[in-house]
Amino acid sequence: MGRKQPGSERFESTYSALYHDRWTPLKEALLKPPCQTGYDNGLLKPYFLDEASLEPPRLLGAEPGMEVLDLCAAPGGKSLVLAKALAGKGNLLLNDMSADRVRRLRQVMKEHLPPDLLSTVSIIQGDGSRMGMKIRDRFDRILLDAPCSSERHVLNSPLHLDEWGPGRIKSLAIRQFALAVSALDMLKPGGIMVYSTCSIHPDENDGVIEKLLKRRAGMIELLENKSPPGEKTSCGSIILPDVSFSRGPIYMAILVKSTAIR
Ligand SMILES: C[S@@+](CC[C@H](N)C(=O)[O-])C[C@H]1O[C@@H](n2cnc3c(N)ncnc32)[C@H](O)[C@@H]1O
């Protein structure tokens, strides 16, 4: 019987085949600590996060008075940006599947949001891929910051690197697609959704969006951003740390639900 190839070798061959000459500088950038910034715009105290993480909630264009859902919200950095955008008017529903992470999410909201912004926030725990079966056409804006491969984390964790296999990308892409379909069902006609991940694998990024556009043709369209943050991809854009001062990775795509489907 042949020796099982270690996860680190499988990881290396998968990503070097995708990124070619760029893989070495990209890997070096991923191995460095991310560029953290203290987001404190109107908050009780700064929240430290990768500056690139501010882009998906900003792209969503949430405004005071809107119904907004953050489907995979914990620990909550992007939710803080959304709460700030609502400016105390409207409703921001935060969901996450993990009980532990929902506890952390509650704490982050309580510690950072002043009372007027906190008053718009509700927090629930559930499987976001099933929520669309019960809730239809409700939200003006949905942020789907999906669970993903997190290559930066994998590369910096010998344990995760050792266990890595390409099957992980396949199973995550299936989960991401299920979350995206559910989000689409919960979006109002004319509503906007931003899909984001911190993965650098196209199957978890453009691949999920291309599948959604194909399987839900006529229900959803890409919203083109003329000056997207980062590098353009076929459906959105990606901020990669080798060229963005250690910011990212963050992939994002903007989608609008058709008004002609009811
Ligand atoms: C990338 S993290 C979200 C980070 C968060 N948006 C932030 O800015 O702090 C993905 C989250 O998705 C959650 N998750 C995974 N599967 C889920 C599902 N089926 N429904 C809802 N949340 C899920 C995980 O628990 C994790 O907290």
Side-chain angles (χ1 to χ4, degrees), residues 9-20:
E9 283 177 21
R10 285 179 293 195
F11 186 90
E12 189 64 27
S13 59
T14 300
Y15 289 96
S16 58
L18 276 173
Y19 283 91
H20 309 282

Side-chain angles (χ1 to χ4, degrees), residues 47 49 53 70-79 95-98 101 126-130 143 145-148 150 175 179 197-198:
Y47 182 87
L49 81 179
S53 294
D70 189 348
L71 191 56
C72 300
K78 298 179 188 72
S79 309
N95 174 70
D96 202 277
M97 193 158 88
S98 151
R101 289 174 70 92
D127 180 351
S129 63
R130 302 179 69 83
L143 177 63
D145 187 37
C148 71
S150 284
R175 283 171 68 191
L179 282 160
T197 77
C198 62

